[in-house]
């Protein structure tokens, strides 16, 4: 394991694998983008978001069907695109909110971006069918507090799920018309935010932060049960599937916040409904969370940690027997 600390940055907010040992990380405070081309051995700053756009952070990455990379940001809330593997960026739109958060592309090419908070005083998204040359502003909730639309769950077709939270309880909403209208499916009162979705077989899972709980639905999101609570207080980041020597594993960066000194770890399992193991302890700190993970190469992963009060770190993990 090797560790990169972006100078002056308190959070490695996002990470994205480009393939063949290359990848990007996005930071919070000055909104920089760093790039590696050697499997995480070294990182160089390729974009200064604060200088270019006065943004606070780079929140999410997506490679779209057009082959280009898209990002969401905070303060201001932008959607931007890179056509040269992250070396330079162009702003496509500025949302009427403080943050653009969740980011997804559907099979049709329609893109959805989650907002927080929205100036229409409702929990909202942006929906675009032309790579943000134009977009529609859609309310996910007609009533209730303004919340983050933090994550999306999508596996093809017209159905899509949204994870909402931060200002109230964690909630799951579903759209069956490619994001035009939404209906609530679940409310987890003790969850602070819903950070990510993944699917295993016919089961859908959502990661609930604050209560460090993995919720599962076996009926398309109509009902949900707690599949696993890792700690009474903690943070769950993202969950990704990797294949190693023909066997599939789910890995998830997470933070145990039950004690004064937090533990940043990576959890692993071959069955999300079964037992999870602590694969590696990344480090310990007085605050923050392990929030994102990306695969850089067959044997390399990068995990980002940090928050407003802790030094951000990108941990490069080398997979071996």
């Amino acid at each position: 394991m090797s560790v990169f600390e972006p100078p002056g940055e308190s959070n490695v907010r996002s990470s994205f694998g480009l393939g063949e040992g290359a990848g990007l990380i996005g930071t919070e405070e000055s909104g920089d983008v760093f790039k590696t081309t050697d499997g995480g051995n070294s990182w160089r700053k390729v974009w200064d978001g604060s200088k270019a756009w006065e943004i606070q952070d780079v929140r999410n990455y997506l490679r779209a069907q057009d082959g280009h990379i898209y990002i969401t940001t905070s303060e201001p809330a932008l959607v931007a695109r890179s056509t040269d593997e992250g070396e330079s960026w162009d702003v496509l739109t500025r949302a009427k909110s403080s943050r653009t958060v969740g980011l997804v592309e559907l099979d049709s090419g329609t893109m959805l971006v989650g907002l927080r908070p929205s100036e229409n005083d409702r929990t909202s998204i942006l929906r675009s069918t032309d790579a943000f040359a134009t977009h529609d502003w859609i309310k996910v909730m007609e009533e209730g507090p303004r919340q983050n639309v933090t994550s999306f769950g999508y596996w093809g077709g017209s159905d899509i799920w949204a994870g909402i939270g931060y200002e109230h309880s964690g909630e799951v909403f579903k759209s069956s018309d490619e994001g035009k209208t939404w209906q609530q499916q679940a409310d987890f009162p003790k969850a602070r935010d819903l950070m990510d979705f993944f699917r295993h077989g016919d089961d859908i899972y959502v990661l609930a932060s604050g209560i460090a709980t993995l919720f599962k639905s076996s009926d398309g999101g109509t009902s949900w049960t707690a599949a696993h609570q890792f700690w009474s207080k903690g943070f769950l980041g993202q969950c990704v599937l990797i294949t190693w020597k023909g066997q599939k594993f789910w890995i998830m960066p997470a933070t145990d916040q039950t004690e004064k000194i937090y533990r940043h770890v990576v959890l692993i399992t071959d069955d999300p409904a079964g037992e999870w193991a602590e694969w590696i302890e990344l480090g310990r700190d007085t605050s923050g969370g392990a929030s994102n993970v990306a695969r850089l190469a067959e044997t390399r992963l990068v995990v980002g940690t940090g928050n407003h009060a802790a030094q951000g770190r990108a941990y490069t993990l080398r997979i071996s027997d």
Side-chain angles (χ1 to χ4, degrees):
M1 180 173 68
S2 62
V3 184
F4 170 64
E5 297 184 352
E9 298 292 345
S10 64
N11 198 344
V12 175
R13 171 64 72 177
S14 53
S15 55
F16 183 74
L18 298 172
E20 298 183 355
L24 305 171
I25 56 174
T27 66
E28 184 175 12
E29 294 304 329
S30 61
D32 292 330
V33 176
F34 291 82
K35 184 175 184 178
T36 182
T37 55
D38 58 8
N41 291 327
S42 62
W43 298 85
R44 62 184 174 91
K45 185 160 73 172
V46 293
W47 191 252
D48 188 329
S50 178
K51 182 178 180 180
W53 305 325
E54 298 183 337
I55 61 171
Q56 296 293 313
D57 68 26
V58 177
R59 301 196 66 86
N60 280 295
Y61 291 89
L62 167 74
R63 188 184 293 279
Q65 296 173 43
D66 60 16
H68 304 320
I69 303 168
Y70 293 74
I71 57 171
T72 53
T73 73
S74 292
E75 300 177 281
L78 308 176
V79 180
R81 177 175 61 202
S82 174
T83 60
D84 56 8
E85 298 295 280
E87 298 285 340
S88 63
W89 299 84
D90 295 307
V91 174
L92 302 177
T93 193
R94 179 169 179 166
K96 295 179 180 179
S97 64
S98 66
R99 297 176 182 173
T100 47
V101 194
L103 176 62
V104 69
E105 184 185 32
L106 312 185
D107 287 344
S108 64
T110 296
M111 292 186 182
L112 307 180
V113 166
L115 304 180
R116 176 198 180 253
S118 172
E119 290 184 11
N120 67 8
D121 203 35
R122 290 292 178 265
T123 301
S124 304
I125 65 168
L126 301 183
R127 181 179 186 274
S128 177
T129 59
D130 53 13
F132 287 97
T134 62
H135 65 261
D136 296 319
W137 197 9
I138 295 173
K139 296 179 183 178
V140 176
M141 300 167 60
E142 289 294 333
E143 299 179 351
R146 296 182 299 175
Q147 296 234 75
N148 279 357
V149 182
T150 303
S151 59
F152 292 106
Y154 181 69
W155 303 280
S158 59
D159 290 344
I160 184 167
W161 288 261
I164 293 170
Y166 192 75
E167 300 291 348
H168 193 245
S169 57
E171 299 169 275
V172 174
F173 278 71
K174 181 182 179 181
S175 173
S176 295
D177 55 10
E178 295 197 333
K180 297 175 184 177
T181 61
W182 296 85
Q183 297 78 40
Q184 184 177 359
Q185 285 202 311
D187 186 347
F188 308 120
K190 295 182 180 180
R192 185 178 183 188
D193 211 345
L194 302 181
M195 304 304 296
D196 192 21
F197 290 86
F198 68 94
R199 188 174 70 176
H200 181 68
D202 294 328
D203 296 329
I204 299 172
Y205 292 83
V206 66
L207 283 59
S209 186
I211 55 174
T213 299
L214 194 61
F215 289 94
K216 181 180 77 170
S217 175
S218 300
D219 55 11
T222 301
S223 61
W224 296 80
T225 58
H228 196 102
Q229 183 170 27
F230 298 94
W231 309 287
S232 59
K233 180 182 178 183
F235 184 91
L236 304 181
Q238 292 178 310
C239 196
V240 300
L241 183 66
I242 66 170
T243 301
W244 177 249
K245 294 191 173 180
Q247 187 173 358
K248 294 182 178 180
F249 298 94
W250 291 96
I251 60 170
M252 178 167 54
T255 299
D256 177 359
Q257 299 175 334
T258 56
E259 303 292 337
K260 185 176 180 179
I261 302 299
Y262 293 177
R263 294 191 311 117
H264 303 314
V265 303
V266 178
L267 305 170
I268 189 169
T269 187
D270 59 1
D271 178 10
E275 293 298 316
W276 289 74
E278 286 192 13
W279 186 27
I280 187 171
E281 182 176 301
L282 300 170
R284 301 191 178 203
D285 214 325
T286 55
S287 63
S291 63
N292 56 90
V293 59
R295 194 164 192 174
L296 301 176
E298 183 179 2
T299 61
R300 298 288 181 99
L301 302 166
V302 61
V303 178
T305 70
N307 82 344
H308 293 293
Q311 170 64 50
R313 296 181 176 91
Y315 294 87
T316 298
L317 310 181
R318 298 170 180 83
I319 307 172
S320 66
D321 294 331

